[in-house]
Amino acid sequence: MNDFLVKKTTNFNEIEKIIFDPEIYERIKIKGFELKELPRENTTYIGGYLKDEIIAVMVYYRRKNYTTCHVHVLKAHRARLAVKFGRESLLLRPCNVLYTNIPPKFPEVIKFAESFGFKYVGRAKSGDGIYGVSYEFYR
């Protein structure tokens, strides 16, 4: 019996368990902006379940001209399941070309993205200044 399952989810109670996990939220929060509700439009969520308990979420945001993705895996499960979840959730992507942006203070996340074939396209600064400077990747 396979105890790990990756599937699309719309269960926002489960998704919030991952996104608002204190360790994850501390890494992804935007200075000066408090996320109160997760986006529901133009967004696809893929959940990773270990023994029927959610432990990871891949978020696909469909923008006007491109799609971005972000992987979130609970710290206790990263070493064992992050790569497996990343591979399987990419199979469920809504399009073939994906972008992600990763702050340079997370070199381990940059290496993780590169291991899936994401290529560095440059440093970007958000026009509104919220995101600061990030590395942009595409796959």
Side-chain angles (χ1 to χ4, degrees):
M1 180 169 101
N2 187 359
D3 61 351
F4 186 64
L5 175 67
V6 176
K7 65 179 183 176
K8 184 176 178 179
T9 182
T10 56
N11 184 327
F12 282 89
N13 288 329
E14 290 182 341
I15 296 165
E16 288 174 357
K17 285 181 187 177
I18 304 303
I19 301 296
F20 292 119
D21 171 81
E23 192 269 341
I24 290 175
Y25 190 72
E26 182 62 31
R27 292 169 63 95
I28 66 171
K29 73 180 181 182
I30 299 167
K31 187 178 179 180
F33 176 79
E34 183 180 346
L35 182 64
K36 295 180 182 178
E37 187 175 307
L38 296 176
R40 294 174 188 254
E41 293 184 28
N42 300 316
T43 307
T44 301
Y45 294 94
I46 307 298
Y49 296 84
L50 181 62
K51 298 179 182 174
D52 296 324
E53 185 70 32
I54 194 162
I55 59 105
V57 169
M58 169 72 92
V59 183
Y60 291 107
Y61 297 103
R62 289 176 305 285
R63 313 290 184 177
K64 186 175 182 179
N65 297 316
Y66 58 94
T67 297
T68 61
C69 64
H70 301 281
V71 177
H72 308 288
V73 180
L74 292 177
K75 189 173 184 175
H77 300 283
R78 282 184 198 141
R80 194 176 87 136
L81 291 170
V83 171
K84 181 178 177 95
F85 175 69
R87 282 189 187 124
E88 291 187 27
S89 62
L90 283 170
L91 294 174
L92 301 173
R93 66 188 178 271
C95 64
N96 285 328
V97 178
L98 298 172
Y99 289 85
T100 192
N101 45 27
I102 304 167
K105 67 181 179 180
F106 296 120
E108 73 283 4
V109 179
I110 292 169
K111 286 182 183 185
F112 182 75
E114 290 173 334
S115 76
F116 291 105
F118 282 84
K119 306 291 183 205
Y120 177 69
V121 294
R123 290 178 69 134
K125 182 170 176 127
S126 172
D128 56 18
I130 309 179
Y131 296 104
V133 176
S134 300
Y135 289 104
E136 286 195 4
F137 291 83
Y138 79 95
R139 180 176 192 273

